[in-house]
């Protein structure tokens, strides 16, 4: 198989056995990006020179017999929401189009310490606000499985890059499904860690109580490898948690015997695509065949999670995005009269329509006279949503749901109707509201050949169990091995 | 519009709070779209939450204290690297206090 289709764990072996050098591998990927990214547009910035330097250094270490990590010399892509020192970080926005961070996000520092290779920064919905990567100032990303369809979002560039063979693995961020939904649309694996598991330092803030960084990879083993690299307490993030980080490779166990899997009846709603429902049903049958005990459970407040989420995330966003005022960094409008006019012109020019819409919603929800009715109510409903999961996990080890109600939709199909777009996140949002971990794995294809994903959800800080469930499912199926028709 | 959650004027007012300028056409569109979304959010009122605590964070958040020690910080030059306008080592902004 060509180099660009291999996994982290395969390439790690090949690099150590000197069957390939990191430089050859990196060059192959840069060549591939040059050849196909016109069609996909997964990248906003390709950092070719730095990548080649990093690859050469990795090769020198390998030549000296130094193998400090699993990621040594492995070319990765990074969602353009994570600060990278000296490399432009746009967040998909005009307001940060020329922003060059003077520091690395903690997760980037960690990957640099592992001597990974950084190919570049991937496209995304502006400030991670969207479910299709259509809200990028730099134009949409195309789904490698069908170029007229979206890759999902907001980490659509990272998902498309992994699926199209334009990197070996990638990092994304997930506030309401932004890793898992694009992973399902692109036929790859994506994991949102427990809130607090991974440092948010250097992750450009959207909704701080919901945001988490996580991996997008070709299989579950690669997911565990990347998770091992990025997890852990960070004094720079007061919400990161001082829990011991387990070696998630030890969770790569192909055994489900006795595992209790709950299937929430509220997730099989009207509007779920028949192809998705079918794929999930046959997945449940397979899991039972392999020894899992599946049974129906109830998460009664599911139907309210979405509405509460869009109040909480927009409220937090309106506050977080107040920092974009044209003073210390980012775009500043020309031709203003006075400071307030500078703020207004800068923000009006710098933000796209969806970001403005969410700032407006959040500002409204927090404004005098409406705070009680909206934000306070939503924060109470959030308690109910979390309690649903707490109750469910007393009797079940993992919860299984579809990742998204439909496979990838067409570019432009939902851009005029924000509410329809928001409904795309209905299965992923409750997970962020409750702060629990979730992983999406490929579980089938629609009749049109589009990937379908299923989601395993676990208890707080129990990434091990969902990885074990996902690994067993994957190792007994071959959906993750199919490649999109792009060349 | 009957049952409208947010009026045109309120949209303009909120835009002012958020330091955004909306064109006529944007005001029209946002009024319509925000009404659709806010009506959907109304479904939360079906739930009686009078005895439910608010949750703003899923994990317990404590004050994160550290020892009061000086650490290495960014230089003035590095800090000003992305400044849209700077002068003599400072961020430059339009005059704020009127004469």
């Amino acid at each position: 198989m060509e180099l660009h289709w291999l996994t982290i764990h395969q390439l790690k072996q090949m690099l150590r056995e000197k069957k390939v050098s990191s430089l050859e591998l990196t060059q192959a990927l840069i060549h591939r990006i040059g050849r196909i990214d016109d069609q996909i547009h997964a990248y906003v910035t390709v950092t070719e020179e730095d990548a080649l330097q990093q690859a050469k250094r990795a090769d020198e270490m390998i030549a000296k017999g130094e193998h400090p990590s699993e990621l040594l010399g492995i070319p990765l892509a990074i969602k353009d929401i994570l600060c990278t020192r000296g490399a432009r970080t746009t967040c998909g926005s005009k307001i940060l189009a020329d922003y060059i961070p003077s520091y690395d996000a903690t997760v980037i520092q960690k990957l640099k310490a592992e001597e990974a290779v950084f190919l570049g920064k991937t496209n995304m919905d502006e400030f991670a606000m969207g479910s299709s990567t259509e809200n990028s100032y730099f134009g949409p990303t195309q789904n490698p499985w069908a170029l007229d369809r979206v890759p999902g979002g907001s980490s659509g560039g990272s998902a498309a890059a992994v699926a199209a063979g334009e990197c070996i693995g990638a990092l994304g961020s997930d506030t309401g499904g932004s890793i898992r939904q694009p992973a399902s649309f692109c036929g790859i694996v994506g994991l949102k860690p427990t809130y607090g598991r991974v440092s948010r330092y250097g992750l450009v803030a959207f909704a701080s109580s919901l945001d988490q960084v996580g991996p997008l990879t070709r299989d579950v083993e690669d997911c565990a490898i990347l998770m091992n690299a990025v997890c852990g307490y960070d004094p720079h993030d007061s919400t990161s948690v001082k829990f011991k980080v387990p070696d998630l490779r030890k969770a790569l166990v192909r055994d489900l015997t006795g595992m209790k899997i709950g299937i929430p009846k509220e997730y099989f709603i009207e509007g779920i695509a028949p192809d998705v429902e079918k794929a999930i049903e046959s997945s449940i049958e397979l899991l039972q065949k392999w020894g899992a005990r599946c049974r129906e459970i109830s998460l009664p407040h599911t139907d309210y999670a979405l509405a509460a989420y869009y109040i909480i995330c927009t409220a937090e966003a309106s506050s977080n995005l107040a920092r974009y005022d044209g003073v210390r960094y980012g775009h500043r409008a020309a031709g203003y009269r006075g400071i307030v006019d500078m703020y207004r012109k800068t923000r009006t020019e710098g933000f796209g329509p969806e970001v403005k819409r969410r700032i407006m919603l959040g500002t409204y929800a927090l404004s005098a006279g409406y705070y009680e009715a909206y934000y306070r109510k939503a924060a109470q409903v959030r308690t109910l949503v979390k309690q649903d999961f707490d109750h469910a996990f007393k009797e079940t080890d993992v919860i299984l749901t579809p990742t998204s109600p439909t496979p990838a939709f067409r570019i432009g199909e939902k851009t005029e109707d924000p509410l329809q777009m928001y409904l795309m996140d209905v299965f992923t949002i409750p997970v962020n509201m409750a702060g629990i971990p979730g992983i999406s794995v490929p579980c089938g294809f629609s009749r049109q050949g589009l990937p379908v994903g299923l989601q395993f959800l676990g208890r707080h800080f129990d990434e091990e169990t969902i990885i074990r469930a996902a690994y067993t499912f994957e190792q007994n199926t071959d959906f993750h091995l199919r490649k999109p028709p792009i060349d | 519009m009957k049952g409208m959650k947010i009026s045109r004027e309120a949209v303009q007012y909120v835009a002012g709070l958020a330091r955004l300028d909306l064109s006529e056409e944007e005001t029209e569109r946002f009024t319509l779209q925000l009404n659709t979304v806010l009506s959907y959010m109304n479904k939360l009122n079906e739930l009686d939450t009078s005895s439910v605590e608010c949750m703003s964070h899923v994990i317990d958040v404590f004050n994160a204290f550290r020892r009061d020690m000086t650490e290495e910080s960014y230089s003035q030059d590095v800090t000003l690297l992305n400044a849209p306008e700077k002068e003599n080592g400072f961020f430059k902004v339009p005059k704020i206090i009127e004469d």
Side-chain angles (χ1 to χ4, degrees), chain A residues 227-296:
Chain A
M227 276 294 286
N228 277 349
V230 298
C231 282
Y233 171 71
D234 175 15
H236 286 116
D237 174 6
S238 63
T239 61
S240 76
V241 173
K242 282 183 185 165
F243 276 5
K244 194 171 162 279
V245 180
D247 177 2
L248 291 172
R249 296 203 57 160
K250 293 200 173 122
L252 300 170
V253 177
R254 196 172 159 170
D255 180 22
L256 283 176
T257 316
M259 189 182 279
K260 287 180 276 185
I261 300 181
I263 323 283
K265 60 177 185 209
E266 291 83 1
Y267 280 63
F268 294 85
I269 50 167
E270 216 179 303
I272 185 168
D275 286 354
V276 171
E277 199 165 1
K278 230 169 84 187
I280 297 295
E281 277 166 7
S282 40
S283 301
I284 295 169
E285 279 172 33
L286 289 172
L287 289 161
Q288 279 174 318
K289 208 174 84 188
W290 305 325
R293 282 150 49 194
C294 298
R295 66 177 193 88
E296 188 179 278

Side-chain angles (χ1 to χ4, degrees), chain A residues 37-254:
Chain A
D37 205 47
D38 278 358
Q39 299 170 66
I40 306 289
H41 191 223
Y43 284 90
V44 174
T45 308
V46 179
T47 49
E48 179 174 343
E49 276 178 41
D50 286 349
L52 295 172
Q53 284 304 320
Q54 290 155 356
K56 281 180 199 159
R57 201 175 57 222
D59 285 334
E60 283 164 22
M61 296 179 80
I62 293 165
K64 282 189 234 157
E66 297 170 22
H67 301 149
S69 84
E70 309 255 355
L71 294 169
L72 172 66
I74 303 285
L76 304 175
I78 305 294
K79 185 179 184 179
D80 212 12
I81 196 169
L82 287 160
C83 286
T84 44
R85 188 158 61 99
R88 178 169 91 130
T89 298
T90 71
C91 226
S93 181
K94 179 181 178 183
I95 216 158
L96 288 176
D98 300 312
Y99 174 61
I100 298 179
S102 40
Y103 68 105
D104 279 323
T106 297
V107 291
I108 301 298
Q109 286 175 31
K110 283 172 178 273
L111 295 179
K112 282 187 176 171
E114 302 241 341
E115 301 291 344
V117 171
F118 296 87
L119 291 169
K121 308 296 290 287
T122 56
N123 201 17
M124 56 182 282
D125 287 298
E126 184 178 2
F127 285 100
M129 297 178 189
S131 311
S132 67
T133 315
E134 291 168 289
N135 298 332
S136 168
Y137 173 62
F138 302 95
T141 296
Q142 279 75 33
N143 189 315
W145 291 89
L147 295 175
D148 60 339
R149 290 180 186 263
V150 303
S154 66
S155 311
S158 285
V162 173
E166 295 186 74
C167 64
I168 304 302
L171 286 186
S173 69
D174 190 316
T175 304
S178 284
I179 289 173
R180 291 159 288 150
Q181 184 253 22
S184 82
F185 278 16
C186 291
I188 60 166
V189 175
L191 185 145
K192 183 203 88 80
T194 309
Y195 185 83
R197 185 61 109 181
V198 179
S199 167
R200 294 184 294 109
Y201 180 69
L203 167 70
V204 178
F206 160 17
S208 308
S209 80
L210 302 158
D211 299 338
Q212 271 291 286
V213 179
L216 295 109
T217 56
R218 301 219 166 102
D219 65 17
V220 178
E221 185 169 349
D222 280 5
C223 175
I225 292 171
L226 263 181
M227 276 294 286
N228 277 349
V230 298
C231 282
Y233 171 71
D234 175 15
H236 286 116
D237 174 6
S238 63
T239 61
S240 76
V241 173
K242 282 183 185 165
F243 276 5
K244 194 171 162 279
V245 180
D247 177 2
L248 291 172
R249 296 203 57 160
K250 293 200 173 122
L252 300 170
V253 177
R254 196 172 159 170

